[in-house]
Amino acid sequence: MRNLATNAASRTSHENTSCSEKYKIRGAKGIFRLIFWAIGILLDPLVVYLFYLGDDRKCVQVDKNFGTAICVVHFVVDIINIVFYSILELPADLNESAWIRILLICGNMIIMFPLSLEMLILIHRTKTRTVWNRVALLRYQMVPRIIRLSILTAYGSSSSNLALWAIKLLYSYVYSGEVIGSVWYVLAIYAEARCWQKACRTHKSGCPDREFRDRFLPCNESSEAYKIMNDFCSRNTIEYDFGVFRDAHQSGILEMRNFSLKHLFCFRWAMQTISGFGSNIGTASTDVSGNIFVLCVIYMAVILFYSLIREMQSDVERRKERQNRSSNTS
């Protein structure tokens, strides 16, 4: 029994050591692996800005120029990350036992699979709805990609200093702002489409009652239907409650094709909301999706603030332990 316990302990210790050695930052390759993985994660939320509202025909459309640009950049970063994985981590994964080796390699390939290449092809060859569904697949990659970034930063450096903590703080807030801003933008598009739906249901004589999914088909509304939806969903409308998405509706960013302007607007809104823990969002609304989104933002802001404070406290404790050790040895 004692031998079994000893073997199990040594096996666990060996796995932890190999894991830490695999993710260890060694030289320029390790640093660039971490940098490009962090850049790749930051690019994920930006893909949603390729969608915009065709205000002249009242439907969701794809900005092919921006979509091509962001997908090409994303694809290049994905390939660089795959190369770094093949050089720095794949040899260690191949030395594992059969099942662990298969799980590690398949898991990493799923996380690193360049969906951007598929979207780059679909943007120019298929309907908007299909592109929308492919973009939605990115959200299933986001969580494991963030977990991988946490592993890289946790095992990457054994030292802790103020500069490293400041970089983590800045990146955490920037990434949170990117995610919240992009989700706000997408949900605002949904809110606009629901307003069009309500306009069609209210004026059945002039506008056919169509399902929301048809908003992704080629735009072919009649001039009478356009007038009905344009009047019903005007910038200052009181017919429909846009709730937390009213700023996006009234600002006109949903119809913009200028990426920098609408991205800056959404990012500013998200950072302002995070810093105020959602208290500056505005008046309450009866919109269910808007209320759920606000609650998620508040919880995310609190968790982010708590985790950063906890990280700072842990850093202070580690510094004290090192000082006590050095004083004892001297």
Side-chain angles (χ1 to χ4, degrees):
M1 292 294 291
R2 185 179 301 175
N3 292 334
L4 289 175
T6 304
N7 292 335
S10 62
R11 200 162 45 241
T12 304
S13 175
H14 172 71
E15 290 174 357
N16 292 333
T17 303
S18 62
C19 184
S20 61
E21 288 298 321
K22 181 171 64 174
Y23 296 118
K24 200 80 171 178
I25 296 178
R26 296 184 182 277
K29 291 181 181 178
I31 295 173
F32 281 115
R33 173 183 59 178
L34 180 59
I35 291 174
F36 275 101
W37 190 256
I39 292 174
I41 292 178
L42 279 178
L43 290 175
D44 289 343
L46 302 183
V47 178
V48 302
Y49 293 106
L50 62 87
F51 298 104
Y52 70 98
L53 298 182
D55 190 53
D56 55 337
R57 303 293 296 279
K58 297 299 180 185
C59 60
V60 181
Q61 294 178 301
V62 173
D63 185 349
K64 294 183 179 180
N65 292 331
F66 171 71
T68 301
I70 189 65
C71 288
V72 167
V73 174
H74 204 304
F75 176 69
V76 171
V77 174
D78 287 342
I79 294 300
I80 293 174
N81 285 322
I82 291 174
V83 171
F84 276 124
Y85 168 75
S86 301
I87 296 173
L88 300 176
E89 299 177 40
L90 184 59
D93 291 344
L94 292 174
N95 291 330
E96 299 290 345
S97 59
W99 284 107
I100 296 178
R101 180 170 63 245
I102 293 172
L103 289 175
L104 287 174
I105 295 176
C106 292
N108 282 305
M109 287 298 103
I110 291 173
I111 295 173
M112 299 180 188
F113 182 79
L115 289 173
S116 51
L117 178 61
E118 184 184 7
M119 287 188 295
L120 183 62
I121 298 172
L122 292 176
I123 284 172
H124 300 278
R125 295 194 174 187
T126 188
K127 298 176 181 178
T128 304
R129 179 172 175 79
T130 306
V131 181
W132 181 282
N133 291 335
R134 290 301 181 273
V135 171
L137 286 177
L138 283 174
R139 64 188 176 186
Y140 297 110
Q141 279 188 325
M142 288 177 68
V143 174
R145 284 161 76 94
I146 295 171
I147 294 174
R148 174 175 164 78
L149 179 63
S150 301
I151 294 173
L152 289 175
T153 54
Y155 286 103
S157 177
S158 57
S159 62
S160 178
N161 52 55
L162 183 60
L164 183 61
W165 184 86
I167 292 173
K168 288 182 180 180
L169 170 66
L170 178 62
Y171 186 87
S172 299
Y173 268 98
V174 168
Y175 181 71
S176 299
E178 292 286 5
V179 171
I180 292 175
S182 63
V183 173
W184 182 63
Y185 180 80
V186 170
L187 292 180
I189 290 179
Y190 272 103
E192 193 81 24
R194 287 198 301 269
C195 184
W196 295 340
Q197 267 192 307
K198 186 174 181 180
C200 286
R201 287 195 297 266
T202 305
H203 303 83
K204 290 185 178 180
S205 59
C207 174
D209 186 12
R210 301 172 63 189
E211 296 292 334
F212 168 61
R213 61 176 178 271
D214 293 335
R215 292 292 136 207
F216 297 98
L217 298 178
C219 307
N220 55 2
E221 300 289 357
S222 65
S223 58
E224 185 179 2
Y226 169 81
K227 185 178 185 305
I228 289 173
M229 288 187 283
N230 193 55
D231 293 340
F232 191 87
C233 304
S234 62
R235 296 284 170 85
N236 298 315
T237 183
I238 58 174
E239 301 290 339
Y240 185 82
D241 181 16
F242 282 92
V244 69
F245 312 112
R246 182 168 293 277
D247 287 345
H249 169 72
Q250 292 181 338
S251 65
I253 62 166
L254 301 179
E255 293 86 21
M256 288 183 184
R257 300 183 66 176
N258 189 318
F259 163 73
S260 58
L261 289 179
K262 61 183 178 181
H263 170 258
L264 184 61
F265 187 92
C266 295
F267 183 68
R268 189 273 308 167
W269 183 91
M271 295 301 291
Q272 185 178 358
T273 303
I274 293 173
S275 61
F277 296 97
S279 60
N280 57 340
I281 286 180
T283 57
S285 170
T286 57
D287 181 58
V288 176
S289 62
N291 288 329
I292 294 175
F293 172 70
V294 170
L295 290 174
C296 292
V297 170
I298 294 173
Y299 283 124
M300 185 175 180
V302 172
I303 292 173
L304 177 64
F305 180 75
Y306 172 78
S307 61
L308 291 173
I309 294 298
R310 181 59 185 166
E311 179 71 21
M312 185 175 63
Q313 290 176 342
S314 300
D315 181 69
V316 172
E317 292 174 359
R318 285 193 294 267
R319 285 173 177 273
K320 288 182 178 179
E321 288 178 2
R322 285 197 297 267
Q323 289 176 356
N324 292 335
R325 257 191 254 109
S326 60
S327 61
N328 291 334
T329 54
S330 61

